[in-house]
Amino acid sequence: MEPRRASNRGLGWEPLPAATPRRRWPRPPPQTPPLTVPPPPGHAPPPPDRRLGRVMCSVKMAALWAAVPLLLGLFVRGAAAAVPLVIWHGMGDSCCNPMSMGYIKKIVENKIPGIYVLSLKIGNNMMQDMQNSFFMNVNDQVRDVCGQLAADPRLQGGYNAMGFSQGGQFLRAVAQRCPSPPMLSLISIGGQHQGVYGFPRCPGESSHICDWIRKMLDLGAYTQAVQEHLVQAEYWHNPLKEEDYRKNSVFLADINQERGVNETYKKNLMALKKFVMVKFLNDTMVDPPISEWFGFYKSGQAKETIPLQETSLYTEDRLGLQEMDKAGKLVFLGVAGDHLHITEEWFYSTILPFLQ
């Protein structure tokens, strides 16, 4: 019986149409590239070499824009490439006093854009810093500073150093004992590199402390208790008691090679590019003032002074100062005025060039 399907013309059935064979269609012809619309009259397409030039120009512009951040970075780094400066204050002062070290830091930053200036603080605050300038063993202070410098990532490429009064010889100890990071140049403003033999005047508000210090120095500058706990005793140099000084000075006699030559100290100091020493020509605080130029009293008396070049430290070249002098690394500057009395004009014209 033939299969039937429902008709849409009634309720009867009609036979299904016979199956037709499957037709095979031919494969489509290969596609042809799209037609290009010819340019309007008078607008011929650019020749191939001109189109290539446009492409190359676009590539160059893209490369230039990509290089802009790098070029800006190089410019910024160049502008901020000033050598960092480390400063150390003197007796009775502090790192951040706006009338002294804070002011020096400010004017240096204003004159040398981008420079990093570190004003050393020994202690947790300004008061401790000031007190430590009288009573903290200098060797401990130097050790503390060496730690600060080694931990500061901004100093690892080297730095210049500038010490005021006793900060001058303290920074020299840093140069001799702690060569990393490297100190490039040292500027000592009123530093007493051969020590002092006299304490005629004290700075600021510290007169009662100065009176006590004088008494301690008179009683026994070279006793262990005084040497360990009184900063000024550690660079006290009695020309009448040279042997006591050489044996018992816990700081100055060591860095001045009085008990033998430490070749490391000598090598490290000689690595400086410049060692600048400023002497105040009317100094009433440092005795003798020539100590600021590394000179001192002739041994055995306390009246006649001799310059550095006539001291045994120089003639024997125990510290390398003679060689540095011949190489033009030592700079001796004199300035009219009392201890640490300087003008902005003098600082800008005389000291600033060593920092730039």
Side-chain angles (χ1 to χ4, degrees):
M1 181 177 178
E2 294 180 349
R4 294 176 177 271
R5 66 179 178 186
S7 173
N8 58 0
R9 290 173 293 183
L11 298 178
W13 297 90
E14 62 181 2
L16 289 169
T20 58
R22 189 174 180 182
R23 186 175 181 180
R24 294 180 178 276
W25 296 94
R27 291 183 180 179
Q31 293 185 351
T32 58
L35 295 175
T36 57
V37 179
H43 293 79
D49 58 342
R50 190 182 302 172
R51 284 187 299 222
L52 178 61
R54 288 178 180 176
V55 171
M56 293 302 295
C57 182
S58 300
V59 171
K60 290 178 181 178
M61 288 300 295
L64 179 60
W65 281 110
V68 165
L70 176 61
L71 294 173
L72 287 175
L74 291 173
F75 175 79
V76 170
R77 285 196 293 272
V83 176
L85 175 64
V86 174
I87 59 179
W88 198 338
H89 62 81
M91 174 180 67
D93 201 356
S94 70
C95 65
C96 315
N97 186 333
M99 301 299 292
S100 57
M101 296 301 100
Y103 184 70
I104 293 293
K105 182 177 185 292
K106 179 180 177 181
I107 64 175
V108 170
E109 290 171 340
N110 287 341
K111 288 293 183 178
I112 309 178
I115 191 172
Y116 170 56
V117 181
L118 172 64
S119 185
L120 293 168
K121 178 174 67 176
I122 314 299
N124 296 322
N125 51 56
M126 288 175 59
M127 181 58 69
Q128 285 186 8
D129 190 21
M130 186 274 288
Q131 292 173 343
N132 287 333
S133 73
F134 289 110
F135 303 119
M136 182 177 178
N137 187 292
V138 181
N139 296 304
D140 293 336
Q141 294 190 53
V142 170
R143 193 175 300 112
D144 181 284
V145 166
C146 290
Q148 290 186 45
L149 303 184
D152 193 328
R154 289 166 289 189
L155 302 177
Q156 299 315 300
Y159 63 94
N160 292 323
M162 182 162 56
F164 292 82
S165 196
Q166 67 183 21
Q169 60 261 36
F170 295 175
L171 279 171
R172 176 164 64 86
V174 171
Q176 294 175 204
R177 294 175 178 176
C178 305
S180 181
M183 184 185 295
L184 305 180
S185 293
L186 172 59
I187 303 171
S188 170
I189 301 181
Q192 307 95 43
H193 293 278
Q194 281 277 22
V196 297
Y197 182 57
F199 212 58
R201 190 174 61 81
C202 254
E205 307 278 330
S206 307
S207 59
H208 62 289
I209 298 178
C210 294
D211 291 339
W212 182 85
I213 291 174
R214 289 189 187 94
K215 291 179 181 177
M216 293 299 101
L217 293 173
D218 289 340
L219 289 173
Y222 298 121
T223 62
Q224 183 177 357
V226 174
Q227 281 288 310
E228 290 291 338
H229 301 290
L230 184 58
V231 168
Q232 288 67 39
E234 295 175 49
Y235 56 86
W236 183 261
H237 186 173
N238 188 337
L240 306 178
K241 297 181 179 180
E242 289 284 0
E243 192 61 26
D244 286 346
Y245 158 69
R246 279 191 289 269
K247 286 183 177 180
N248 301 307
S249 172
V250 299
F251 173 69
L252 188 66
D254 176 67
I255 66 168
N256 281 4
Q257 310 272 49
E258 301 284 8
R259 293 188 284 264
V261 176
N262 183 325
E263 293 295 340
T264 299
Y265 283 6
K266 182 175 181 179
K267 175 185 174 182
N268 292 342
L269 187 65
M270 290 176 64
L272 290 175
K273 295 180 179 179
K274 290 290 181 184
F275 180 8
V276 181
M277 289 171 273
V278 177
K279 173 188 172 185
F280 291 90
L281 303 179
N282 308 105
D283 204 315
T284 63
M285 184 173 175
V286 173
D287 183 12
I290 200 172
S291 180
E292 297 170 353
W293 278 352
F294 238 123
F296 201 62
Y297 288 116
K298 187 179 289 187
S299 184
Q301 50 85 52
K303 292 184 178 180
E304 183 183 355
T305 61
I306 56 175
L308 166 64
Q309 289 75 7
E310 296 179 23
T311 65
S312 60
L313 178 64
Y314 185 93
T315 57
E316 297 170 7
D317 208 18
R318 300 196 303 266
L319 205 49
L321 294 171
Q322 182 182 141
E323 191 169 338
M324 293 177 71
D325 195 15
K326 292 178 180 178
K329 291 185 174 184
L330 300 187
V331 180
F332 302 90
L333 300 176
V335 57
D338 206 345
H339 194 65
L340 298 186
H341 287 199
I342 58 177
T343 64
E344 281 188 34
E345 292 73 19
W346 178 86
F347 186 85
Y348 292 152
S349 63
T350 308
I351 300 300
L352 211 61
F354 292 105
L355 305 178
Q356 294 174 316

